[in-house]
Amino acid sequence: MYDYVIVGAGSAGCVLADRLSADAGSRVLLVEAGGPDRMQEVHVPVAFGKLFKTACDWAYFTEEQPRMNRRKLYWPRGKMLGGSSSMNAMVYMRGHRSDYDAWRAHGLEGWSYADVLPYFRRAENQERGASEHHGAGGPLNVADLRCVNPLTRAFVEAGAEAGLARNEDFNGAEQEGVGLCQVTQRRGRRHSAAAAYLKPAMRRPNLHVLTHAQATRLLFEGTRAVGVEFQRDGRTEQARADKEVILCGGSINSPQLLMLSGVGPAGHLRSLGLSVVADLPGVGLDLQDHLFVAVAYECTRPVSLAAAESKRNVLKYLLFGGGSLTSNVAEAAAFVKTDAGLPAPDLQFHFGPAYYIEHGFVRPAGHGFSIGPILLRPQSRGRITLRSGDPLEPPVIQPDYFASDADLRTLVEGVKLARRFARARAFDRYRGAERYPGPEAQTDEAIADFVRNTAETLYHPVGTCKMGRDEHAVVDTRLRVRGLERLRVVDASVMPRIPGGNTNAPTIMIAEKAADMIRSEQ
Ligand SMILES: Cc1cc2nc3c(=O)[nH]c(=O)nc-3n(C[C@H](O)[C@H](O)[C@H](O)COP(=O)(O)OP(=O)(O)OC[C@H]3O[C@@H](n4cnc5c(N)ncnc54)[C@H](O)[C@@H]3O)c2cc1C
């Protein structure tokens, strides 16, 4: 018997486990389907791609994408302590302040940028020090890169040459411009939500963490959530929650677990023989994601990350926690408006001093660099549904990419802009042949074909248990599941609209705010 049972030790779950167990009188259980985060590829920043398709990864695939030449896209998600924060690219980005102001404008009281800024700051230990925009002394370390590749510096110069403002802080007063990324690292190691929040809290006697424990069903008494059923070592067990069950399984697994437990669109649940606890038609809907495509060049000098694992670099890392092994690959970024009249950038670019093709699985020989435009404000919406009532079967992931033509057009503009950056003088000493899309792709139609054939997820699915007031809203502004008691969803799935930036820091902010709300209600 516990006060709180938290499902999922990812970005959000680790925050809640820490903040709720800080009250010595609260008994907290955290159940995590994956194992501990012991693999060294979790901790050595440059190696995160090596976690893909291992036991630490749910390794999902989407359905065939009708507008992407029927490709099924690979969607890695972290399955270990820290969840996706243990395998992500460590970019610290909050999105644009207008993202949160738009949430507020849609009736979500308490979620404007001014409302959420204190939670971003509370989470943060900004190594540059505290300021109006940043916090110091929080659990999550936010650092400058310890080793900036010369190609990355060339990208920043190239962006400036193309007319972008230099931006030293994408999370400060202004998002637009070009500059280096800050990263969630500490002393050259990944600072996941597990490292930042969970590990220090695990010493507390009132926090119990169970790994290799996959929740298969929420337990209800009438409309009140009273616990969780989970499988561990081939056995089915139950844990009771006196106060609340908090779902932190992420944008794919949280809606899946709700539906498996009878919470979702009634017709869909009944068609699979599941009995309905609450008819919530929005569960699984409004899936949004950031797509990106890599424009890649050969590099004429041996400076890219292709040489990152040399003996010299390994030594540098072991002795000083520095060198290329601390690279997060996505070392720099740019935020651009395709139309000056837009209120906020609609394209983000990540720069990597490496080929980043098919999640790093395709590694052309030699040195290369990639400029990746990202569709920041997709109009397309997808959905998660159940394939069956079997809790161990992956759900159906249908992002429906490019359902809106505007999304494709924006990414085509992104490819053209990436080429413009690559043509800048700053790249003259490095630029070799264009490998992707290649010189033959010149017309908009040819570039669109390239985008349809090669675009991949930037790993930011959100929206499938969205917060709101309309008929598809799953949780209210306090993240309580509508129509039920003592059940919350706290993770990336509650975002009503995808922020214009990477999603780890926003998820941690949401969990910080949720912890405050939960504690204030007791
Ligand atoms: C490869 C990759 C790169 C990324 N790069 C960046 C980046 O550079 N910057 C950035 O800001 N964002 C990045 N992201 C996105 C960011 O990491 C996620 O948005 C964020 O971690 C989501 O947090 P979450 O709490 O919603 O889910 P997660 O962190 O995914 O946590 C969910 C947890 O719940 C567990 N779980 C799920 N179902 C169950 C169940 N039934 N029972 C028990 N446990 C369960 C999972 O195993 C997992 O540990 C990246 C993501 C990936 C995958």
Side-chain angles (χ1 to χ4, degrees):
M1 180 60 97
Y2 297 89
D3 293 306
Y4 302 104
V5 176
I6 302 168
V7 177
S11 299
C14 289
V15 176
L16 284 162
D18 172 24
R19 296 302 192 192
L20 297 179
S21 66
D23 295 331
S26 291
R27 301 154 300 167
V28 180
L29 173 68
L30 176 61
V31 291
E32 166 54 45
D37 57 354
R38 287 203 198 101
M39 283 173 78
Q40 70 168 358
E41 290 81 358
V42 173
H43 306 287
V44 180
V46 83
F48 70 88
K50 293 188 178 169
L51 299 166
F52 292 170
K53 300 189 183 170
T54 66
C56 304
D57 179 10
W58 290 88
Y60 287 123
F61 280 85
T62 69
E63 296 299 288
E64 283 186 356
Q65 292 308 288
R67 296 165 203 84
M68 297 180 82
N69 295 338
R70 315 211 73 81
R71 289 193 295 136
K72 293 184 175 186
L73 273 64
Y74 163 57
W75 275 26
R77 305 311 297 163
K79 186 181 186 183
M80 64 190 123
L81 294 183
S84 298
S85 78
S86 288
M87 64 152 54
N88 70 15
M90 292 154 280
V91 173
Y92 180 79
M93 209 70 90
R94 297 176 182 172
H96 196 271
R97 60 178 56 227
S98 67
D99 293 322
Y100 304 97
D101 291 340
W103 293 8
R104 174 67 190 87
H106 278 89
L108 301 182
E109 216 167 293
W111 292 92
S112 70
Y113 191 66
D115 292 320
V116 301
L117 179 59
Y119 296 101
F120 278 118
R121 294 182 79 237
R122 178 182 295 183
E124 188 180 7
N125 183 43
Q126 171 62 249
E127 286 194 355
R128 296 178 186 173
S131 67
E132 177 194 347
H133 304 290
H134 292 284
L140 183 68
N141 211 62
V142 179
D144 288 314
L145 287 163
R146 294 192 145 207
C147 174
V148 179
N149 191 282
L151 287 164
T152 303
R153 296 208 186 276
F155 173 74
V156 175
E157 288 308 311
E161 255 184 70
L164 303 187
R166 289 174 198 269
N167 192 337
E168 299 206 333
D169 183 5
F170 294 115
N171 304 296
E174 182 51 67
Q175 189 192 48
E176 241 178 308
V178 62
L180 300 177
C181 289
Q182 283 206 292
V183 287
T184 45
Q185 291 182 11
R186 189 163 173 265
R187 298 195 187 124
R189 285 167 69 87
R190 170 191 297 280
H191 215 219
S192 67
Y197 287 89
L198 185 62
K199 300 271 169 77
M202 276 170 88
R203 296 186 209 109
R204 297 178 185 145
N206 59 326
L207 172 63
H208 189 185
V209 181
L210 281 180
T211 50
H212 300 295
Q214 181 165 345
T216 47
R217 194 161 64 94
L218 305 174
L219 304 172
F220 291 99
E221 281 172 10
T223 53
R224 194 164 52 130
V226 293
V228 169
E229 190 167 274
F230 56 93
Q231 289 193 7
R232 192 164 185 250
D233 296 332
R235 296 212 331 254
T236 300
E237 298 177 38
Q238 293 191 345
R240 303 269 302 183
D242 245 2
K243 289 184 175 162
E244 280 199 26
V245 174
I246 307 164
L247 209 45
C248 304
S251 294
I252 302 161
N253 295 37
S254 284
Q256 179 193 25
L257 189 57
L258 282 177
M259 288 190 274
L260 287 167
S261 312
V263 179
H268 175 52
L269 302 186
R270 288 202 186 99
S271 74
L272 296 170
L274 295 165
S275 45
V276 177
V277 175
D279 178 14
L280 280 183
V283 174
L285 289 191
D286 276 302
L287 173 60
Q288 303 156 59
D289 188 26
H290 287 146
L291 267 183
F292 102 109
V293 66
V295 176
Y297 292 82
E298 291 173 7
C299 179
T300 52
R301 292 173 182 241
V303 293
S304 79
L305 292 176
E309 290 174 40
S310 67
K311 272 197 188 128
R312 197 161 157 256
N313 279 333
V314 171
L315 215 61
K316 252 192 208 166
Y317 188 71
L318 292 176
L319 292 177
F320 311 112
S324 298
L325 293 184
T326 63
S327 171
N328 70 326
V329 185
E331 292 184 6
F335 286 88
V336 177
K337 294 175 182 169
T338 56
D339 172 347
L342 289 172
D346 55 342
L347 279 175
Q348 181 180 348
F349 292 79
H350 269 315
F351 177 80
Y355 286 117
Y356 198 73
I357 313 297
E358 287 186 32
H359 310 273
F361 290 117
V362 173
R363 290 176 169 244
H367 290 262
F369 61 88
S370 309
I371 305 175
I374 299 153
L375 177 73
L376 265 191
R377 301 182 183 283
Q379 293 181 20
S380 310
R381 295 287 179 273
R383 62 176 62 199
I384 304 284
T385 48
L386 294 180
R387 204 172 292 281
S388 75
D390 175 358
L392 303 184
E393 189 173 17
V396 178
I397 301 175
Q398 176 50 275
D400 217 2
Y401 291 124
F402 301 134
S404 154
D405 278 346
D407 289 354
L408 183 60
R409 282 198 302 274
T410 305
L411 265 184
V412 168
E413 287 311 305
V415 170
K416 292 186 203 167
L417 264 167
R419 280 175 156 170
R420 204 168 126 208
F421 298 144
R423 279 198 303 269
R425 277 195 317 278
F427 276 120
D428 281 355
R429 49 201 303 253
Y430 301 115
R431 187 192 324 98
E434 183 181 289
R435 287 291 289 258
Y436 300 92
E440 61 287 350
Q442 290 303 332
T443 61
D444 280 12
E445 195 37 49
I447 297 172
D449 262 349
F450 163 72
V451 171
R452 281 190 286 260
N453 281 323
T454 65
E456 297 284 355
T457 176
L458 196 76
Y459 321 112
H460 297 164
V462 306
T464 49
C465 298
K466 80 169 181 190
M467 171 172 43
R469 293 181 178 277
D470 61 281
E471 79 276 19
H472 285 160
V474 176
V475 296
D476 65 14
T477 52
R478 299 185 74 81
L479 309 181
R480 298 172 296 209
V481 178
R482 292 167 73 197
L484 297 170
E485 293 128 63
R486 299 199 191 176
L487 178 62
R488 266 179 239 253
V489 182
V490 182
D491 57 25
S493 72
V494 304
M495 298 183 196
R497 200 178 154 81
I498 194 163
N502 313 57
T503 45
N504 188 46
T507 306
I508 288 174
M509 173 278 288
I510 287 169
E512 285 278 12
K513 187 165 161 61
D516 240 19
M517 295 191 291
I518 294 167
R519 291 173 75 178
S520 73
E521 284 169 23
Q522 302 310 321

